[in-house]
Amino acid sequence: MEAGEEMEQILKKSVADSDSGDNGKMVCSIQEDLPFILKPSFENFYTLMTNTALDRETRSQYNITIMVSDLGTPRLTAQHTIIVQVSDINDNAPAFTQTSYTIFVRENNSPALHIGTISATDSDS
């Protein structure tokens, strides 16, 4: 993240294990190749936060598998997949497909005659 950018909280989730001792202590994690981090916030609560800026034009959805493991022997695990959909904002200006257009028109044409076409795109669409 660049200086001045803030992490955005996406989800706060609690986990529970009815066992006692190490059998009831848990560790949560997510895949490392995503622009998110999972931070413990307080006992048995974790907060999913953005780690970098998200760009809907690059990727509009993330499937995040949250894995939880207890510290017992044997270690027992569970996982839950959530879908994060990135909302679009108007962060790109429209642009013409060419830097300049030259159209030649003969004189004495009738009104409403098609004389050429120009095109513009907006990557927010």
Side-chain angles (χ1 to χ4, degrees):
M1 297 190 82
E2 294 181 22
E5 288 188 55
E6 295 182 23
M7 290 186 185
E8 184 175 344
Q9 179 177 318
I10 304 296
L11 171 77
K12 188 173 276 192
K13 188 79 173 155
S14 68
V15 293
D17 189 328
S18 300
D19 292 327
S20 61
D22 285 346
N23 294 340
K25 294 179 183 172
M26 297 165 287
V27 176
C28 280
S29 62
I30 60 171
Q31 308 97 290
E32 292 184 10
D33 61 338
L34 297 174
F36 302 96
I37 58 172
L38 193 60
K39 295 179 80 171
S41 50
F42 52 94
E43 188 175 328
N44 295 334
F45 277 87
Y46 289 82
T47 303
L48 181 66
M49 303 181 81
T50 58
N51 194 24
T52 61
L54 304 179
D55 183 4
R56 187 179 191 286
E57 284 72 44
T58 303
R59 189 163 174 184
S60 63
Q61 177 176 298
Y62 293 89
N63 294 328
I64 302 171
T65 301
I66 301 173
M67 294 153 286
V68 62
S69 174
D70 65 20
L71 300 180
T73 304
R75 284 195 170 194
L76 300 178
T77 61
Q79 64 183 29
H80 184 75
T81 300
I82 62 168
I83 297 171
V84 174
Q85 293 183 335
V86 181
S87 298
D88 194 17
I89 61 169
N90 191 16
D91 59 343
N92 294 293
F96 289 102
T97 55
Q98 294 177 217
T99 56
S100 66
Y101 293 85
T102 303
I103 299 173
F104 296 96
V105 181
R106 292 188 304 216
E107 63 181 338
N108 299 322
N109 283 315
S110 60
L113 177 69
H114 178 267
I115 61 170
T117 302
I118 60 172
S119 180
T121 61
D122 187 335
S123 52
D124 284 321
S125 61

